[in-house]
């Protein structure tokens, strides 16, 4: 999970590294993810979102498709 | 509050106050328990994906969003420097602390430095982008790589 200056830089890096370019996320979307995951992390009853909650969060931010589907993200 | 929650909060409080990971004795002190109790709780907190431990079972590699080891994702809040586990967690630290912060990192392709000011309501407008190679369903298969 890294930063890129632009989509072109991300594309160049993926080609050079032999990786598939994944969906790119804007900073405002990333802030929404960060607050959803961590805003209560220093509280006693905090927990990670469960898979169904994750799917809803991603969809609400326009992050859709198989890449964002956490269906096999089971919790130990 | 149950025991695991006390131990989790103690570990996280140490990260939040110091920017560094605690040793088990510090977690025991903060939680009013002992080292054996802390070490017994750690695998349960790992199972909840609230901690990632080093091989010794006692050192905290990750207490997301905080990193117990230096990374290229540095977050400054007041006079305290934190290491985040990744780009997502770099914004996660100001979100968790509810404080203004400055995130310093770089473009993974060009090395161009990133300096992003983050207020209590979010980051300043920025054209920078976040990218993750690993699909959401696989993030915790190898969370260090993710």
């Amino acid at each position: 999970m890294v930063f890129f200056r632009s989509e072109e830089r991300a594309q160049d890096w993926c080609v050079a590294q032999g990786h598939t370019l994944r969906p790119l996320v804007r900073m405002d979307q990333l802030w929404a993810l960060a607050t959803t995951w961590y805003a209560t992390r220093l509280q006693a009853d905090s927990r990670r979102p469960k898979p169904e909650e994750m799917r809803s969060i991603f969809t609400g931010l326009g992050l859709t498709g198989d890449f964002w589907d956490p269906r096999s993200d089971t919790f130990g | 509050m149950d025991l695991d929650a006390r131990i989790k909060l103690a570990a996280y409080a140490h990260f939040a106050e110091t920017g560094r990971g605690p040793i088990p004795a510090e977690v025991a002190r903060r939680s009013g328990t002992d080292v054996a109790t802390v070490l017994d709780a750690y695998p349960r907190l790992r199972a909840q994906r609230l901690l990632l431990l080093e091989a010794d079972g006692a050192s905290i590699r990750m207490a997301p969003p905080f990193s117990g080891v230096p990374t290229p994702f540095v977050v400054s809040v007041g006079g305290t420097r934190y290491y985040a586990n990744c780009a997502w967690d770099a914004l996660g630290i100001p979100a968790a602390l509810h404080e203004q912060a400055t995130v310093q990192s770089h473009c993974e392709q060009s090395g161009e430095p990133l300096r992003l000011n983050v207020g209590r309501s979010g980051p300043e407008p920025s054209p920078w982008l976040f990218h993750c190679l690993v699909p959401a369903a696989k993030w915790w298969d190898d969370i260090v790589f993710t």
Side-chain angles (χ1 to χ4, degrees):
Chain A
M1 294 183 173
V2 298
F3 291 113
F4 287 104
R5 179 68 179 81
S6 66
E7 181 172 353
E8 181 182 20
R9 298 275 166 77
Q11 290 172 333
D12 289 348
W13 182 81
C14 285
V15 168
Q17 299 294 322
H19 294 309
T20 301
L21 180 67
R22 303 299 193 180
L24 292 162
V25 175
R26 303 187 311 268
M27 288 298 105
D28 62 303
Q29 292 172 310
L30 185 60
W31 175 249
L33 293 173
T35 54
T36 302
W37 252 250
Y38 294 125
T40 63
R41 186 53 60 99
L42 298 178
Q43 298 173 14
D45 58 352
S46 71
R47 59 171 176 79
R48 295 180 76 248
K50 294 179 178 178
E52 285 305 316
E53 296 168 328
M54 291 171 67
R55 185 180 290 112
S56 176
I57 292 162
F58 294 145
T59 299
L61 291 170
L63 304 174
T64 58
D66 286 348
F67 182 83
W68 297 104
D69 186 347
R71 60 184 177 275
S72 66
D73 189 3
T74 56
F75 290 74
Chain B
M1 188 189 317
D2 69 28
L3 179 63
D4 286 359
R6 281 166 52 198
I7 289 171
K8 182 210 83 169
L9 281 184
Y12 272 78
H14 186 89
F15 270 104
E17 292 172 17
T18 70
R20 298 293 177 266
I23 60 173
E26 177 61 22
V27 178
R29 185 189 71 76
R30 286 174 178 264
S31 60
T33 60
D34 54 47
V35 169
T37 301
V38 168
L39 295 178
D40 185 58
Y42 273 2
R44 294 192 296 274
L45 295 171
R46 166 62 180 84
Q48 297 175 56
R49 301 179 175 179
L50 294 169
L51 296 180
L52 184 70
L53 305 172
E54 299 284 14
D56 63 8
S59 304
I60 299 175
R61 171 66 180 268
M62 297 181 182
F66 303 107
S67 171
V69 298
T71 72
F73 307 95
V74 179
V75 182
S76 299
V77 177
T80 305
R81 281 166 56 94
Y82 301 87
Y83 292 108
N85 299 298
C86 61
W88 181 326
D89 286 0
L91 295 193
I93 288 176
L97 298 175
H98 301 276
E99 296 284 356
Q100 297 179 18
T102 302
V103 171
Q104 292 177 274
S105 189
H106 62 265
C107 172
E108 192 69 13
Q109 193 273 337
S110 66
E112 180 180 346
L114 166 66
R115 183 181 176 89
L116 182 69
N117 293 315
V118 182
R120 288 187 174 85
S121 59
E124 62 188 335
S126 171
W128 284 65
L129 297 164
F130 164 88
H131 183 261
C132 176
L133 281 174
V134 182
K138 303 290 186 186
W139 285 346
W140 276 81
D141 289 0
D142 183 350
I143 192 61
V144 173
F145 176 77
T146 297

